[in-house]
Amino acid sequence: MSIGVDYVVMCLLLHSLVLMTVCFHHAATTCSKHCYCSESGDGGGKTVRCSNQRLTEIPQDIPNDTRRVYLDFNLLTSIPANAFAGLPHLAELDLSHNDISQLQPGAFRGLGSSLQLLDLSGNKLVHFDADSFEGLRARANLTNNPWHCDCNLQMAMPRVDLEPVSLTGIVCQTSDPEEMSVQGLAFLLEPDIDLCVVMKRTTDVAMLVVMFGWFTMVISYLVYYVRANQEDARRHLEYLKSLPSRQAKSEESSTISTVV
């Protein structure tokens, strides 16, 4: 009887283990809804194609063994932080031809060691934020975006680890200051242009104002100090001048006393 119970328990445990294995395998290998998945015959991993599906958000059910994801020609407007953190093997990511205008800080967090190609071309990116590309060393396509070139962009570009050729895709559509005339130019290829010159001038003016303020304070203190000392000196001089007359009166009093 005991052997029969143990056998039943063992069968139930094995059955549960098989179900768990199937569930995990299903979660890791099934395809995302509205997407088409394929396996590379040469062992190159899984490809998930979600192109032209009018998606407004990044699918949350992309298999975690995916190597390539195509989300081009959709309606994405923003890439949130940690959007692809569950895809540790992702090597290629195509986000081109969407309406993306914002990449939140940490948008590609977790892909630094795996991602090789990132396509953001044909979007609505205006401002370049280094924190959005945190840790990425991939080659990125940043062309055909309405980039605004200013001092913030100039300071942010050296902070990213993207392949240098990626940054040549940043072609200025607008600029600040406007008189720099960088519209239509790839900013990285214009090393003589300094978009921070206005900020530097503003900083210099602010420093001059601060220095002038300190100088005024020092002069005011010196004037007060000199005037205060002059008053003390005058009083001391008057005191000294009064000493001989007091001594003469004292001697005169002594003489009168002697005569009396």
Side-chain angles (χ1 to χ4, degrees):
M1 184 69 178
S2 177
I3 295 177
V5 173
D6 292 341
Y7 177 76
V8 172
V9 172
M10 183 64 69
C11 287
L12 290 173
L13 290 174
L14 288 174
H15 182 68
S16 300
L17 181 61
V18 170
L19 286 177
M20 290 176 63
T21 303
V22 170
C23 289
F24 282 124
H25 179 73
H26 178 77
T29 58
T30 54
C31 193
S32 176
K33 186 180 180 181
H34 304 305
C35 301
Y36 169 74
C37 296
S38 61
E39 292 281 351
S40 177
D42 57 0
K46 178 173 292 183
T47 298
V48 178
R49 296 186 180 275
C50 309
S51 305
N52 201 21
Q53 295 295 314
R54 302 187 65 82
L55 298 176
T56 58
E57 296 181 351
I58 297 171
Q60 299 298 308
D61 55 350
I62 298 176
N64 56 20
D65 61 342
T66 301
R67 293 274 297 169
R68 288 168 293 277
V69 173
Y70 295 91
L71 287 162
D72 50 315
F73 291 98
N74 280 291
L75 303 175
L76 303 175
T77 59
S78 176
I79 306 300
N82 303 307
F84 305 97
L87 305 175
H89 307 293
L90 191 63
E92 184 176 347
L93 177 59
D94 189 348
L95 294 167
S96 64
H97 299 95
N98 279 274
D99 295 322
I100 299 172
S101 60
Q102 182 183 21
L103 301 174
Q104 294 186 7
F108 305 105
R109 186 177 294 129
L111 302 181
S113 60
S114 62
L115 195 65
Q116 300 174 9
L117 295 174
L118 172 63
D119 194 345
L120 286 166
S121 62
N123 280 286
K124 297 180 179 179
L125 295 171
V126 176
H127 301 289
F128 185 86
D129 185 357
D131 294 333
S132 302
F133 300 91
E134 173 188 328
L136 280 189
R137 295 177 176 82
R139 173 176 293 187
N141 184 356
L142 303 173
T143 60
N144 297 320
N145 282 282
W147 293 109
H148 176 70
C149 295
D150 57 7
C151 185
N152 291 327
L153 179 140
Q154 181 173 317
M155 293 189 296
M157 290 176 68
R159 294 172 48 208
V160 298
D161 296 322
L162 296 171
E163 286 193 14
V165 68
S166 304
L167 300 179
T168 60
I170 298 180
V171 177
C172 306
Q173 182 167 318
T174 58
S175 66
D176 183 19
E178 295 183 1
E179 60 268 20
M180 298 302 292
S181 300
V182 296
Q183 288 83 351
L185 301 178
F187 182 73
L188 188 68
L189 303 180
E190 303 294 332
D192 296 331
I193 295 178
D194 186 3
L195 295 175
C196 294
V197 62
V198 173
M199 181 177 292
K200 291 175 181 176
R201 289 174 181 171
T202 304
T203 303
D204 291 342
V205 171
M207 290 182 63
L208 288 174
V209 170
V210 172
M211 291 177 64
F212 178 77
W214 278 105
F215 181 75
T216 303
M217 290 177 61
V218 171
I219 294 299
S220 299
Y221 175 77
L222 288 176
V223 170
Y224 170 79
Y225 180 80
V226 170
R227 287 180 177 177
N229 279 271
Q230 283 180 341
E231 184 65 22
D232 290 341
R234 185 184 62 79
R235 292 174 181 175
H236 185 67
L237 183 59
E238 290 179 353
Y239 172 76
L240 292 178
K241 288 180 177 179
S242 67
L243 288 180
S245 60
R246 290 181 180 180
Q247 184 176 1
K249 289 182 179 180
S250 178
E251 291 178 353
E252 182 178 352
S253 297
S254 299
T255 303
I256 293 172
S257 299
T258 304
V259 171
V260 173

